[in-house]
Every structure is written in C-alpha cells, then in structure tokens.
Amino acid sequence: MFRVMSSKEWKDEDLIRSLYSLCLGSVPEQSPVLDVSIGQPQCTEKDLKPEKVRLPICRRVKLKLLPLLRKGAEMVIIMPDILFLIYDCIFGIDTTTNLRSSGLLLLQDLLWYSDDNLDLEAVAPSLLKLTMFMIGNLKYEGDNALKDFYNFKPDNHQRVSALTVLSYLAKKSPGVLADNADCIRMLLSSLEKEPDIDFAQSLRTTISGIAPCFISASETTKRLLKFVFNQYITSSNVQVRRVLVELVRIIFPITDVEGRFLLLICCGDRDETIAKDAVDALFGPLRSYTMDDRSTEKMETDKSDLVPSYGRLLNYIIEQKKFRESSEKGIFIKDRVVGFDKNTFEYILRFVQLSLINEAGLGPFESALENPHRVASSIRPFLLNLIRNESSVLSAHLALLTETVELFPSLNFITSLTILVGAVPEFLAGELVTLIPNLKDLTESNSEDTRLISAELLSIVLKEEKSQNFQNKFLSAALPDLSRKSVEGKQGLLFAIGFLLGRISLKNENINPYSQIVDTIIELIYNEEHSLITSGAIHAIGQLARCKALKKTLKKDAELVQRLSELSCHAKYSIRIHDRAISALGFLSLEDSFVERRLLVNELLKIMREVKDVDLHFSIGESLVCCCFGATYRESLDLWSIKEDDSVKGETESEDFEFILEELIKGAGSQHPSVRQACTISLLAILRKCGNSKTIVNYIDRIQTAFAVCLAEGNDFVQDVSSKGLGLIYDFSPEEKRQELVDDLMSVFISGSRRRIQVSNETKIFEEGTLGPMPTGGQVTTYKELCSLASDLNQPDLVYKFMNLANNTMLWNSKKGAAFGFAFLTPKLGKELEKIYPVLIPKLYRYRFDPTPRVQNAMSAIWSSVVNDDTKTVDTYQKQIFEDISKHLTSNQWRVRESSCYASAELFRGRGFDAVLEKMPEFFRNILKVMDDVKESVRKSAEFAAKSIVKVLIQTTNVDAGKNSAQETAKFMFPVVLEGLQSSVKEVHALCLDTTISMVRSLGHLVAPHLPIIIPALINSVEAAHHQQLNYMSVRLGDQAATQEMFDSARISAARMTTSYETAQHTLQFLDAEKTEIIVISLLSTIKTNNPLPVKGCSAHLISSLAQLRPNELQPVAGKALAVLCKGLSDRNLALRSTYAGTIGQLVRVAKDSSIEKLLNMLQTWYLETNEESIRSACMQTIQAVSRYNPDVLRNHAGTALSLVFLGMHGKSDDPTIKGWEKVWEEIAPGTEGGIRFYLDEIVKISKMALNAASYPLRAQGAKCQGKIAKTMGQKLDEKVCMDLLNGLKTSMGGKVWTGKEEVVTAFADVIECIRFDESVSDGSELMDLILREIKRGNKDYKSCALSACGRIAASLKFKKFSLIIDATEPIIIPPKEEEDEEIDQKELLDLQIVAIEALGKAWPEDRNVQVEFFEKLMKLIEFSMSNVHWKIQLATVKSLQRILETLDLTLFTENTDALLKFPIYYLGHAMQTSLKLDSMKAIETIVQKMNSINLTLDEFKSSSIKKLVEEQSRTESADLRLKCDSLLRLLRG
C-alpha cells in the first residue's frame, strides 16, 4: 500500500470499503461497549461461504493501515463500519496505546466531516460517554461484564485528542450537551484537580468552546449550572475561576440576575486577569452608551435588554449579602461581618446604579458619576414613582449605600449616595441623620473631590432634616471651626457652608442671620495665603452667588470682581482655583443686586485673552452665558431637581448680550491661536444656550463666518468646536441659509480655500515643536523667529519656503475643518447630504489615509459620522473614488501621493475592480511609478497598494472566478504587469514577477492567449534572481575553462530552479501550434542576441521542454531552431555550448530527416576543418545528446554519425572528449567489430579525409583510426580496402616528421599485418625500404616508433633480407665510439636500444640459410645487450632471444647451446626482477624442449645447476613464477 500510495485515489468509496473490510474482517462485530444499536452489518457469517470468511488483520498491520484510511477524508464516514472500527481501536481486546490514539483521530474525522445527512443524535450520548472517560472524568459504573474494557488509563496525548472530539461533538450535536449539567460539573472538577498545566490550559479552552451549547438549555439545567458555578466561584484554582467567567458570560443572558451576580463576585477576584475579564463581560456592552444616546432610536430599542431589572437585582444582592454574612464566606471588617470586600462592593453598587438609571429611562451609561446633578434630576421622576409604589426597594438601596460609606468611605460610594439622596432629598435625607458625623469627618478627607461631594451631601442632609435643628447648630459652629480645623478641614467646611447657604437661599429663606459668615468667606479671598482655603472660599462665593445668596457686603462689587479676576490668572494658584474663580465671576452676574456687569464681562474677556487652557476657556464660555441672561438664567435654580431639557419661564437677555457677541466675533479673527480657540468655545456655549434668542438671529451670519474661519485652524479641537457651532447654526437657520452653508463647506472641502491672514512679527506661523528648536535653543513659531533663523543660516529664501509650508498646512487644515463641519451636519442634513455625496465621499475617503495622524484620525471619525454603511457607500461610489485617487496618485505633494496609495489599497479589497477595469492598466502603471518615489514613506505606501491590488487581481483572474471575468481582467492587466518586469527598480521587478507567476497559476488554461508575451518575459526575468557578482566571478574564471564551465552550468541550473522558469515551463501544457511557433521564434531571438547567460540557457532548456511536451506543435519551426542552436555551438561560453547541444539532442526528435542530415554533415565538417578543441567538444556533446535523448534518430543516420564518432574516439590520449565519443559508440554501434564492418565505407572515408587534412593532429587521428580498423578486422578486411589504406598511409609517411606522425607509422604496420602477401609476387622490399627510410629520421620518438613498426612489418612479410634490418639496428644497439663520446640523452638511447632489440627478435627470419649467415652476428649483439647493466635492456634481450629460439633451427647450432643458455641461467640466479626471471625460465624451457626434440641432452652439471636455481625460485611469492618452475622441473626430470 505504501508503495502505490501516491497513485491511489483516496476518495474512492470502494477503496475505503476495502480498507474497512481489511480492518474489521468480512463480518464486522459491534463492540459491547457501544451501547447503542447503530445497524447491522451488510452480511453475517451465515451468509458467506466458509472460504469467503476473512478475519480482521492483526493490530500491527492495522496500525499501519489506519493513517492510509484517514486519507479518504469525508469518504471515511461509512456507517456503521467507522464506529465499529473506532470502538475496536479503543476498547478492542488486543488494542494498544497507538491504536487508541488512531481511533480517537478517526473519531475526530467522523465528527469533522459528518453532515446533516448523517444522524449523530443516536450515537452522540455514547460518544460523549466515551469522550468523558478518555478525558479522565468518568469512572465506569455499570455492567461488571464491561468493566474489563475500561481498565486502562488514557495518556495525555489521548486526553488532548478527546478534548478535540468533545469540541467537535459540541458543534455537530449540541443537543447532547444542552441539558447535561453534570458534564460541566465533571469538567470543572477535573480542571480543579488537574496537575498538568498544559492539559489544564487545553481543558479550559475546551470548556469555553462548549459553553454555547448550554445557551438553549432548559431552566432546570441552568439552575443546576448556577448551583455548580456557585460552588466553584471561590475555588483556589485560578483556571477554574477564569473559565467560570467565560461560562457565565456565554450561557446566561445579560438580564439574568444570578448570572450577573456571579460576574460581580468575579470582578473583585484577587487575580487581575479574572477581575478584568469579569469587568469586561459586565460593563463591556455598556461602554458605547452615553447620556446623549438616551433619545436615539438605538437606545430606545436596546435599553431594556442591557441590564437586569433594578428591583430584582437589588433584592437578590441584599439576599446574597445576608446569606454570605451568615456563612463562612463573610468578611470581618471594622468589628462587623460583611458579605463582600471593598472591590466587590464597588462593582456591585456601580452595576446597581446603572440598573437604576437604565430603568429610569436614561440608559446604562457609565459616566453617571461624572455629572451627579444631571443624573439626579433625570431619575427624580422615577424615584418619586418608586417611593409611592415600592419604597422598600429604595430604602434597601439607601441602606446598602449607607453601610458601604460607613465601611469604605471612598469617592465613588459617596457620589452614588449623593445622587440617590439629592434626587429626592425630601424623602431620603432624613434617613442619613446618623451619617452626619461621618460626613463631617469626610469633609476633612485628604482628597479634595471627596471633601467636595461629602460637603454637598452634608448640606442636603442638614437642610432637609429640621426636627433636630442640625442646620443652625452647624452654622453656629462654623466660624469657630474655621479657626480650629486643619487646612483640609477648613476647605471642606467652606464647601459645606457654601452649599448649605445656597440651598437655604433657594428655599427663599432668610440668610441675613448668616451675613457674618458670608463676610468672613469674602475676606478669605483677600487675606488667605493658603491655596486650599482660597479655593474653598471662591467655591463658596460662587455657590452663594449662583443661588442669589450673596447680598450687599462690606466690599464693593467692583473690588470683588477685580479680586476674582486676579485669582483666575494668578500663576501661584492651580488650574482648579482659576476655574472656580472664573465660574464665580459668571455666577456673580446672576445676583439681582449686582451692578458691575459690564466690568465683569470685560474682565472675563481679558481673562480669555490671557489664559490658554481649554478647560478654562469652557468655564469662561459658561460664565459669559450667565452674563448674557443675568438674574433670569436657569443656573440660579436648584440643579438637583430641574432637568436640562426642562423649559424655564422668565429667561430674558441682558443688556450686555450684543457687546459680548461683538467681542467674541472679533476675537475669532485674532492672530493668537489661544484667543481664537477661547472665542470659538464661548460662541458655541452661547449658541447652545441662547440659540433661539433674537440677538442670536441678528448675529447668525457673522457667527457663521467666525466658525467658518476657525475651521481652517490647525488645532483639531478648534475645528471640532467650529463644526459643532456650524451644526447649531444650521438648526437655527432658514432653508436657503442652510443650503448656502452646505455649499460653502463643500467649496472649502474640495478646493481648500482659506482665509487671508495679515502677518506681523508676532504672528504664529507654526505650532511649538513643529520645526524643532533653533540653534540658540528656542522654538521657531512666529514670523519674526523664522526671519531670524533664515538670517542666522544666511539663507533668505528659507523664509519663503517655510511660508509655503505653512500655507500648505493651512490648506489642509481648511479641508479638514470643512470635513468636521460635514460630520456635525450629517445627522441634520439627512437625504440632502446625499446630493453632494459624489463629490464629498471620494475626497473624504482619500483623506482618511492622510499620513498625518491627526488628519487621519479626524477624517476617519468624520467618515464614521457621515457614512452609515461603509461597504455599501464605497460600492456605490467606487468609480468616483477611483477617479479621485487616480487623479491625485501622481500629485506633486507627497502626502497626497501617499494617501492615494493607501486609499487605493483599501478601495479594491473585497470588491474587485470590474467597474473600473478599463482604467486599471494606467492606474497600476502609476502605482509602479510611485514605487520609485523619492520619499521612502511614499514608496512603502505604493508597495502596499500594489500588493493589495495584486491580491485582488489574482482572485479575479482565478479560473474558478468565471471564464469571462478572468479573461477580461487578464487581457487588460497582463501587458502592464509584464511591462513592470523590465523595470530597473528592484521592488517593481520583484512585485511584477510575483504577480505574473501568481496570475499564470490562477488562470490555469485561460492563460493560453497571453502566453506569447508571458513566456519570453518570464525567461528574461530569470536574470533578476542572480546577483551581478556572479557575472564578475565567471569572467575572473576565464583562464580556468573547466572551472568556469562548472560555475556557469551551476548558474544555468540555478536559473532553471527559479519560479520564473518553473512557471514558464508550467504554461507549456496550454500551447497550440500557432503560439508555439511565436514563442520559439522569440526564444531563438533571445539566444541570438546579447542576453545574459542564464537567460540564454533557460531559453534553450525551454525549447527542450517543448520538444518533449509539444513535439507536434514544435515541428514546423524545428529546422529554424536547429539552425540557430547550431550557430550557438560556437559560443565562447562552454556551459552555453553544452546547453545548446542538449537542446539539439531533444530537437532532432521532431526535426525532418534532411535537417538532421544537414546537422550531422555540418558537425562533421566542423570537426574536420576546425582546429579549435572547443568546437570539437561541442560536436561531441551534440552527438552525445542526440544519442542520449533520441538514439533511434542517431541509428537512422548512423552512417554519418558513427563515422564521426569513430574518428572522435581516436583523438589524443589526453583529449577529454574521447570518453564521450566512446560512450556514444558503445550505445549505438553493435560492438566494435560489427560497427566497423557495417559502416566501413563511411569510416574509411572520414579517416582518409582526416589523414589528408591540413591539421597534423587530425592526420594522426585519421591514421590511428585506420590502424584501429586494421587491428579490429585483421585479415577479414577486404584487400582492396587494405591497399587503399596502405596507399594513403604511404603518401602520409612522406615529408618531414611532424607531431603525431608516429600514428601513421603504427597504422602502416597495422595495415600491412592485415595483408596476405604472396612471396612469388613480391618480397616486400618496397615496403621495407620505406620503413627503413623512416628509421633514419633524426626524431628519437619517431625513430623508435619506426623501429617497432619495422620489426612487425618484417615479421608480417617474412622478410629475408635480414642484413638490412641488422645493419639498421646494430648502430643503435652498439653505438659507435664517437657517439658514445658525445653527450646524448641516455633515456632516449635506452628506449631506442630496447625497441631495436625487440625489432631484431620480431624480424628474425625462418629461412635456415639466413639464420646460418647472421647467427654469429646476432649472438654478438645479444651478448652485448645482455651484458648491459640496465634490467630493461636485459629483459628486452631475453624476450627477443625467446622469439629467436622459437624460429631457430637448433640442429644447425648444437654447439652453441651453452652460449644460448649462458645468460638465461645467469639472470635466473642473479636477477632481482620477477619478469626477467620468468622470461629467462621460458628461454631455458624453449632451449631444453628444442634439445629434447633433436635428442640432445644437457650435461649433468649444467642440468643440476639449472634444477638447483629453479628449485630456489619455486619458493618465491609469485604464482606465475612458481608454476613456471614446476613446469621446467618436470621437463628437466622428464
């Protein structure tokens, strides 16, 4: 199975069933553990013949088979077989740990791939039981017969797999868990006890994952779950408590009281992570609501489902509090037992507060504690109704708050209590009498906020409780206490006095009895030096003035205004004191008897010009609003009872209203940013409070202009304020004015028009820190500082550059301000805004991606307010957005280019570009241009945009996306993408290359029409993957041809492994004949032109691939390709020549016979006419490639091919191509002799051509070739051929001696040996004269070769004129004395002597007369040679003697036997060389045999001497020598 695994289709149902049959046997059996009937097998054992019954495979084979079975994916699910197999793997008798693990994996597959057609409900309980057991939570309790199946303990790996199974089971069959509370209990129990940290983490994740199953559980199950959760909520295990938060959050609705209470308990957990998770679960859904949302449609829809009912929640908390206090869960604090700690109490009361204000109709907003007056006045009607119908709930809430304040007197608790009591003081204040001492202590707290809110609560309680006259007692002791208390106590007391006297005045009670206290407070702001007491006094004065309790005093009004004005700007005091002083100034205008209103207004305007803090500007605005209305303003009423939207009768405008507006409008055009900011804020405050007044109507146009001017501010806050002001103006304006306002904003937003500013020396051009510090250390902000910097740098033009930069900044500020205006007007314009959407949306969309964070954030916020549905809006206006981005993509401003790039990246995400497809090529071309931008951030944004577009492009061109859509997109985009491949910018090239490859892969067969331009582009791009240093290294290796060839071959191989080449090769399957011709012509053009080496190499390799994959389509252009590639064989680069040769070897498959013949003839011509080794090497590589890839083609043209191969085989011994030629010959020729015999004519022809060539090496090669023919064929060679060869060789032997001519002489001898000469016709004198002539040449090597050939020829011709030979060799063997005296090369002489001696032995005639004539002379030469000390000459002499003895007629020389035996016997006893001893023994043996044949015997002495020597040699290590010794001894003893 593993051997054929890759060739099997694993989704074949028949194959899967066969595997099941192997695993389960022919009759599957249901495991007893599977306690649910899931169907019977298709057949029983009775249904099958005995021979058909098959048992299950063994566990070892099953373990190997299960991974293969799982390859079938969804086809594995064959019921009931899969369940049988799962339970068999887990609970089988012979199962193992690995089998159990495989069974669990199979169970995972069952649950993962199961669909609705597979009913899991029947087996789900059994699977759950199995899973729980494997997790380790279930101990078997049941039938004892099954206990043995559960007697194993799963390991951690199996337990983790079981967790995965449980998760899958929860998704596929949630009903099995929905009403199984015991499952959660067991899992929590296991988690609590689990020692393995990693498994505990996995278990916790699984528990969270199955939680959604219990959402639809019955009420009974949920009650059980709550009981379980209550048990584990105090667990010591952090993982348990953490998962409980998740369970409660998911399972129980947000209105469930018990579930919310569990989360409240977790909010106070000691573990920060658990507490944070619980807080997020409780308050996370509520954080998006504010008091401003309470009238919105969303709030009206959602508010009832956001928090539990106030009454039910409070009662349950009280009940649980009492229960915990009476149980071991109680906490001991301040001599009492409480139900919760401080943190838990804080979250409980906070949540109860949200429930209260939600039920009161405000919505559960978390900012309730920030504005107690506003909340209290809003919930007052609800509380009054609650008091009438269900007062016990409110009393319980009050009691809970009171107890908490006593135990944990923190700011939040006191504020909550103050809101509750302040809303209905007449009913609840009396309940806090016992808390008065605590509140007095709290007014001396270290926290000023705590002192302030405690003082206000204390004033409410003192004023409303009249039975014990607490009010008078407190005020009577006030003055003495001011002198005794600490600084904090004095400030808290002043807060309390101010609040209490203010409430007395609001009740229209007489405060004259307390005038001394008021005078004392006023004196404190003049004389007190401590800031806390001054702050308390200012606050008290402000409260008295607001409530009209500040009557005529000892000081004049003007002096009080002056003093408060000084305090509001004094650097000694904090911002809080400044704020309270400004508020007090505003409250002074509410006094009926106050006469210095104009002075007060001027002081406020003066303060506004001096301070820069935004909070103070808001306070100034509120104070100016007070001045606009005076004593009739609603701020003078009881803030605890009057709601913000309640109408107040009697509000009238003051006489200073117009003056205030004039000053503010004038200030809005100031050159100082802080003044413009303050005036804008004040105008907004007045507009919000007095928008319907007649004065505002008269000034509305001028106010609109002021706001419009401030929209161009660089300050986001000012722009936001101005936009809100324009929104209010829109509300107060008639229809025609509204349209005019929208048109003005649209004009500014599109064109960026801005106001003109008169520049002076102090005009602030840039904000602080924008340009960095000056060289002297200061900041560059004003026009004067810019001029100074330009002067210091000696660059006057720098001023104009900075001014241009500031001008551009103001342009963008004006656009952003206009966008702010649209954002605020959006809810008011409604459908009217849709008319300008085609212009507004594109601009706003692009501005969202501005590189400046503040612009980007502002525009994003504005977009969110203008656009309700992002996707729908962008889809609707995609064309307009695209046109806007296209227009600005090449803007001269870098921030515009950058924002356009990021905007384009987002535009096409998820929606494609079908609507703008025709314009996409130019757009993408511009994106690629911007990728080479001068600014780095713009380049990065363009790269990001290009990658995003490419991602969409690939999705659009996917073959599964639709044929028409993909083809159309490819038609438009391929040209521009391929154009990018030619870019010199590295990033552009890489992106376009990746894009091309991805598009080709995604298009599939649809890419075919574009291949003529794609494939050449991909091939040309392979060079980009190679570093330029590789070219340099290749050039440096030019003097090392072999190394350079290896290096360049590696470069080409590496290029073939690039994705570019692989993609090009992948596309070949889609080509037809027409496109193949176009592509091949393009590739050939690449090969012919001056392109990089990898490109040429890949082009050739791609043609090779075409020859293999598309042979029929390639055939029409095969001839052209062969012609170009043949020219390429002469390329200077060896690696390219090798590559071209390989391609030619592939091309001949589809080429015509005429083209192939032409190719072979051309190779033959090159080989014969060219002296360059590189060309000959290329010829060999080409023939070798043809032999390797298309041997049949080579066999069809074997006559031409093999003749060249045969010639090539006989080159110089050091020629590296010889092995290649020999390999081709071995593969193609039918053996050496058979090949020569079949193609003799062609071989002879080419060898003769080589022999007659001008090149000496080629002549030698031709001669060697002819010699090989003669040696191989021998006398089988036709006589005519022999004579033809001999004549050619005779001709070549003429002339001078040239390098390699030795081969001619050798071949001459070889050919003569093949000829059968007739002695009656010729004695061979002519041939011998020719060879004897060559012996006389002066070249030693040539002379040696001629001597050797002479001996061979003489032996072959049986030449009888031995005198000629002995005369020619004697001067060499015995050099004349004059030559001995000359200094000659001894090695050369030695070699000549050896050859001469051997030649004598070969040439010794068989004729008896000649033997008698020259025997003595011959023996003289032999004796002379044997006396030579060099063993090589001795060896040659012995061998020659052996040959002479073979033909010697011993009957003629019986007396010379001793002389013949002399030297062999001597060498046998004294020679060191084994070869010399062996040949000596052969000579002795020949002599003895000859003597025996003529009945001659050795004398006894000589015979015994020889025997003795032979016996000594028989003990040598040489086996040959020992054998010869045995043979000789037998002969001697014979």
Side-chain angles (χ1 to χ4, degrees), residues 408-424:
F408 314 108
S410 67
L411 177 62
N412 290 341
F413 296 152
I414 301 170
T415 304
S416 299
L417 181 59
T418 304
I419 291 173
L420 190 65
V421 175
V424 282

Side-chain angles (χ1 to χ4, degrees), residues 1330-1372:
L1330 187 63
I1331 196 66
L1332 289 171
R1333 184 191 68 191
E1334 299 304 312
I1335 292 174
K1336 298 175 182 179
R1337 302 280 190 177
N1339 187 293
K1340 302 299 182 182
D1341 292 334
Y1342 183 72
K1343 189 172 187 175
S1344 175
C1345 186
L1347 279 170
S1348 177
C1350 179
R1352 291 171 58 197
I1353 294 171
S1356 178
L1357 295 175
K1358 297 180 181 180
F1359 191 60
K1360 296 179 180 180
K1361 296 180 180 181
F1362 189 68
S1363 59
L1364 297 176
I1365 300 173
I1366 202 167
D1367 291 342
T1369 57
E1370 184 178 6
I1372 298 173

Side-chain angles (χ1 to χ4, degrees), residues 94-329:
D94 61 343
T95 189
T96 63
T97 299
N98 289 338
L99 269 179
R100 291 191 184 103
S101 299
S102 298
L104 287 171
L105 293 176
L106 201 59
L107 181 54
Q108 291 178 21
D109 291 341
L110 167 63
L111 296 172
W112 180 258
Y113 292 111
S114 63
D115 51 21
D116 296 337
N117 298 326
L118 186 64
D119 186 13
L120 288 176
E121 297 300 326
V123 297
S126 183
L127 295 179
L128 178 62
K129 181 179 177 182
L130 162 65
T131 306
M132 297 299 290
F133 169 74
M134 295 300 292
I135 293 172
N137 290 286
L138 181 65
K139 292 183 179 180
Y140 180 76
E141 297 177 0
D143 189 356
N144 291 331
L146 300 179
K147 272 193 174 181
D148 292 340
F149 291 101
Y150 292 91
N151 61 355
F152 66 91
K153 184 178 181 181
D155 58 26
N156 271 2
H157 177 72
Q158 294 169 358
R159 296 175 71 195
V160 172
S161 295
L163 291 177
T164 306
V165 171
L166 183 60
S167 300
Y168 290 171
L169 186 61
K171 292 179 181 178
K172 296 294 183 177
S173 183
V176 73
L177 290 169
D179 289 320
N180 195 338
D182 199 43
C183 174
I184 286 288
R185 180 188 62 78
M186 290 188 291
L187 290 173
L188 290 175
S189 174
S190 177
L191 180 60
E192 187 176 35
K193 300 173 184 177
E194 180 59 46
D196 190 291
I197 297 176
D198 293 335
F199 182 76
Q201 177 68 27
S202 301
L203 181 56
R204 184 178 70 83
T205 305
T206 302
I207 295 173
S208 300
I210 67 174
C213 298
F214 296 92
I215 295 177
S216 58
S218 63
E219 289 300 321
T220 304
T221 302
K222 287 188 176 181
R223 282 197 296 271
L224 290 173
L225 289 175
K226 292 172 185 175
F227 176 76
V228 172
F229 294 165
N230 265 312
Q231 285 183 320
Y232 287 98
I233 199 72
T234 56
S235 172
S236 60
N237 191 306
V238 174
Q239 298 280 20
V240 174
R241 301 200 306 275
R242 189 172 181 183
V243 79
L244 277 179
V245 174
E246 285 293 307
L247 290 172
V248 173
R249 180 185 65 82
I250 295 172
I251 296 174
F252 303 115
I254 57 180
T255 55
D256 185 87
V257 173
E258 293 87 345
R260 298 302 97 179
F261 178 76
L262 289 172
L263 289 177
L264 286 170
I265 296 299
C266 292
C267 287
D269 196 280
R270 57 185 176 275
D271 187 274
E272 293 183 2
T273 304
I274 297 175
K276 182 179 180 300
D277 291 345
V279 170
D280 291 341
L282 266 177
F283 300 99
L286 311 178
R287 287 171 182 160
S288 60
Y289 295 97
T290 64
M291 287 191 70
D292 296 329
D293 295 328
R294 64 185 187 275
S295 61
T296 63
E297 181 180 349
K298 177 184 177 183
M299 192 71 238
E300 292 297 326
T301 304
D302 297 344
K303 66 181 180 181
S304 61
D305 297 327
L306 294 173
V307 288
S309 168
Y310 169 65
R312 288 179 56 243
L313 177 64
L314 188 61
N315 289 334
Y316 186 79
I317 289 173
I318 298 298
E319 177 186 340
Q320 289 296 317
K321 176 177 174 294
K322 293 178 181 179
F323 170 75
R324 294 170 72 90
E325 288 174 349
S326 61
S327 68
E328 60 183 10
K329 296 181 180 179

Side-chain angles (χ1 to χ4, degrees), residues 325 331-338 402-404 406-407:
E325 288 174 349
I331 302 172
F332 193 77
I333 299 176
K334 292 185 179 180
D335 300 330
R336 71 171 78 176
V337 178
V338 296
T402 303
E403 180 184 4
T404 309
E406 291 177 351
L407 293 171

